[in-house]
Amino acid sequence: MAGLSLRCGDCGALLRTVEEAQEHAELTSHSDFSESTEAVLSLVCTTCRKPCRSKTETDLHTKRTGHADFADKTLEAAKPIDLVAAERPSINSVENAIVGSAAASGSEPSEEMVIPEVDKKLLEELESMGFSTARATRALHFSGNDSVEVAINWVADHEDDPDIDQMPLIPISSKQETSKPSLTTEDVMMKAQELRNELVKEGRRREKDGKRKREGSYGAPSSTYPYPFLLLIVQKVIPFPVPINLGASPRKYRERIRVGKELLAAKRMEEENERKRIIELRKAEKEEEKRARDKIRQRLEEDKAERRRKLGLPPEDAGSTKPPPPPVEEKKSALPIKPVTKVERMRDCLRALKQNHKEDDAKVKRAFQTLLTYVGNVARNPDEEKFRKIRQNNPTFQDRVGSLHGGVEFLELCGFEQVEGGEFLFLPRDKVDIVVLNSAGSELNSAITNPFFGVL
């Protein structure tokens, strides 16, 4: 199958003609080109008829205009590529032609061909869409400088013209503009030299400042120069790096935005889970306080009835007494943070420890803090064996936890086992459950900070 395009081996860009490949090589310094059977995409917007050559261009066009329907005319526009490049005029040949014609006539050329004047703003807008300067100028000139849409429609209708990428030239007499002073041959040569020097200085300055990767084409002919056709010729002779592959930047920006959104969503989910966990803990503390108040109220009623019995007074009328509040049914948490059954057993164990030693609050509080230290060390360092092994006959352990009823039972609920004839309490590494340890730590914190914990 004949080749339909030329592929750049350095950046992967597909080019329609050898001329485009030469311009691409001059602008990017890429030199590895090969013939490809893959045709350059020709996607035409069905709304405004703007042609796009890649998926990136269609995405940018959709983002800018909102047009999302494109017609694929790749097969219609595909044709074998001509590997013979047309000879491009050099600056010396153009200058010699100008000098020769001036010398032959003995005066300035009578019918000098110049580039037509077009709307500068419309030209810049077409260049920002990806059109070359020559194609944009030709479209604006032949469409009457009306609007960007009209120029795009003209390009779509004349895309197969052989001279679509050539700069249009018209006689100077046909230009509709104010008269300008004519230039002699020496003036033209001087202007060309000045423009050449300015371009060299501009290229060196941009290279020194490190602005090679700046988006946009700063090497295109500037409309501020009075003779842009000379600037085009000089640019072919003295090229400097111009970033023209704008498709990669939006893709990188979209990837960064997507990763940022994912990280933000994960952070919000983590914050939401933490908020729910805190709400569950506060709810459990409130329920514990409510149960403690109910028990105190019940004990007061019993003491009151006992005093009336001792004084020989009749019991209070059952109708006058307020009915006891209905038992509060505990709702299980929907979050998989702590197993409810084991947590209840831990709470009962701590409540029994406080009730059995309620005459010494300082000793009970010290026992709770010691248990919290054991549990926290294992939760933070599950791989350290020294935190998972406790000698039961240690004087400090016996004084703070071992001698109190319920201390060893609480550690066994956390996963500790008695080994070596009961000399040690050991928590195997494969039985370390971080969720259970976190639940135990929450219960110990509640027992330490809640003044109503285990009152009855």
Side-chain angles (χ1 to χ4, degrees):
M1 182 177 179
L4 299 178
S5 63
L6 290 176
R7 180 184 294 276
C8 178
D10 297 320
C11 64
L14 292 177
L15 307 164
R16 282 200 179 103
T17 62
V18 177
E19 289 77 5
E20 290 187 7
Q22 291 176 348
E23 293 180 1
H24 182 73
E26 291 176 356
L27 295 174
T28 62
S29 301
H30 298 168
S31 60
D32 184 12
F33 296 91
S34 60
E35 191 175 359
S36 174
T37 57
E38 181 180 357
V40 179
L41 291 179
S42 179
L43 305 175
V44 181
C45 178
T46 58
T47 305
C48 64
R49 307 297 300 171
K50 178 191 182 305
C52 299
R53 300 180 59 170
S54 65
K55 186 65 170 58
T56 302
E57 290 187 15
T58 59
D59 293 341
L60 292 175
H61 182 69
T62 301
K63 184 177 180 180
R64 183 168 51 250
T65 63
H67 303 163
D69 295 332
F70 295 87
D72 191 353
K73 296 186 178 182
T74 303
L75 298 180
E76 299 177 7
K79 55 184 179 181
I81 189 172
D82 187 7
L83 299 179
V84 179
E87 184 178 358
R88 295 177 296 170
S90 63
I91 184 171
N92 295 328
S93 62
V94 175
E95 292 175 353
N96 293 335
I98 296 175
V99 175
S101 61
S105 61
S107 62
E108 297 180 7
S110 59
E111 284 295 327
E112 183 181 359
M113 303 297 291
V114 295
I115 298 175
E117 291 290 338
V118 295
D119 192 299
K120 298 176 182 178
K121 294 183 179 179
L122 298 179
L123 179 62
E124 292 177 358
E125 189 171 352
L126 287 174
E127 289 178 349
S128 65
M129 293 181 180
F131 294 99
S132 63
T133 305
R135 182 174 294 197
T137 305
R138 179 175 290 272
L140 289 173
H141 172 66
F142 288 106
S143 63
N145 283 322
D146 221 356
S147 63
V148 175
E149 290 74 13
V150 176
I152 291 174
N153 293 335
W154 187 92
V155 172
D157 296 335
H158 298 79
E159 190 172 7
D160 296 331
D161 294 351
D163 58 347
I164 186 65
D165 289 317
Q166 295 180 6
M167 184 66 71
L169 298 175
I170 61 175
I172 191 172
S173 59
S174 62
K175 293 182 64 177
Q176 301 298 328
E177 61 179 1
T178 58
S179 60
K180 296 181 179 180
S182 58
L183 298 176
T184 62
T185 305
E186 289 78 12
D187 293 337
V188 173
M189 299 296 293
M190 187 178 299
K191 289 289 183 182
Q193 183 64 30
E194 291 177 359
L195 293 176
R196 186 187 297 109
N197 295 337
E198 289 181 8
L199 285 176
V200 172
K201 292 179 181 179
E202 182 70 12
R204 290 176 179 174
R205 185 182 67 81
R206 292 184 182 274
E207 183 177 2
K208 183 178 179 180
D209 295 342
K211 296 182 178 179
R212 294 182 178 181
K213 296 183 179 180
R214 181 179 178 183
E215 294 184 5
S217 176
Y218 52 75
S222 173
S223 58
T224 58
Y225 293 106
Y227 303 97
F229 69 98
L230 290 179
L231 183 57
L232 284 173
I233 298 171
V234 174
Q235 184 182 1
K236 299 296 182 181
V237 179
I238 312 173
F240 49 88
V242 180
I244 61 174
N245 187 10
L246 302 179
S249 296
R251 190 180 303 112
K252 290 181 180 179
Y253 295 153
R254 288 195 296 269
E255 183 67 18
R256 292 177 183 173
I257 293 174
R258 184 186 64 79
V259 174
K261 288 182 178 179
E262 292 180 356
L263 293 176
L264 183 60
K267 184 178 179 180
R268 288 178 178 174
M269 185 178 298
E270 182 180 358
E271 293 177 352
E272 182 67 17
N273 292 336
E274 181 67 16
R275 186 180 65 83
K276 290 181 179 179
R277 188 183 69 84
I278 294 175
I279 291 175
E280 290 293 330
L281 292 177
R282 292 179 178 175
K283 186 177 180 181
E285 291 179 358
K286 290 182 179 179
E287 292 177 355
E288 179 67 25
E289 293 177 2
K290 187 175 183 180
R291 286 195 298 268
R293 292 192 187 98
D294 293 339
K295 290 183 179 180
I296 293 173
R297 189 181 295 108
Q298 184 180 358
R299 175 60 64 86
L300 292 175
E301 293 294 335
E302 292 177 357
D303 292 344
K304 185 177 180 180
E306 181 66 20
R307 288 195 300 269
R308 292 180 65 87
R309 186 184 62 80
K310 290 181 178 180
L311 296 174
L313 299 175
E316 289 184 349
D317 187 5
S320 61
T321 59
K322 296 181 180 180
V328 179
E329 182 180 358
E330 296 185 2
K331 295 182 180 179
K332 295 183 179 180
S333 173
L335 296 175
I337 298 176
K338 52 186 179 181
V340 177
T341 56
K342 185 167 288 190
V343 169
E344 289 293 336
R345 293 170 58 188
M346 290 180 181
R347 188 179 302 149
D348 294 339
C349 185
L350 295 177
R351 189 181 294 113
L353 190 150
K354 187 169 184 178
Q355 290 178 354
N356 292 331
H357 305 278
K358 57 184 177 181
E359 69 281 353
D360 193 351
D361 291 339
K363 189 173 185 180
V364 172
K365 187 174 182 180
R366 185 176 59 182
F368 289 164
Q369 292 175 346
T370 304
L371 291 173
L372 182 61
T373 302
Y374 286 142
V375 172
N377 288 338
V378 177
R380 288 188 296 269
N381 306 281
D383 295 328
E384 293 289 340
E385 184 178 351
K386 64 180 181 179
F387 296 127
R388 293 184 284 106
K389 191 171 184 181
I390 304 173
R391 184 185 296 273
Q392 292 202 66
N393 57 5
N394 185 287
T396 304
F397 174 78
Q398 285 293 328
D399 179 54
R400 296 190 175 189
V401 178
S403 61
L404 303 181
H405 178 70
V408 177
E409 290 79 357
F410 183 84
L411 292 175
E412 290 177 347
L413 290 175
C414 294
F416 284 86
E417 301 174 355
Q418 297 194 17
V419 296
E420 299 183 14
E423 183 178 357
F424 292 96
L425 286 172
F426 181 70
L427 177 58
R429 180 63 183 86
D430 55 348
K431 293 185 179 181
V432 174
D433 192 340
I434 301 299
V435 176
V436 174
L437 295 176
N438 290 336
S439 301
S442 300
E443 293 299 327
L444 286 169
N445 279 325
S446 177
I448 294 172
T449 58
N450 186 4
F452 298 101
F453 183 84
V455 173
L456 298 176

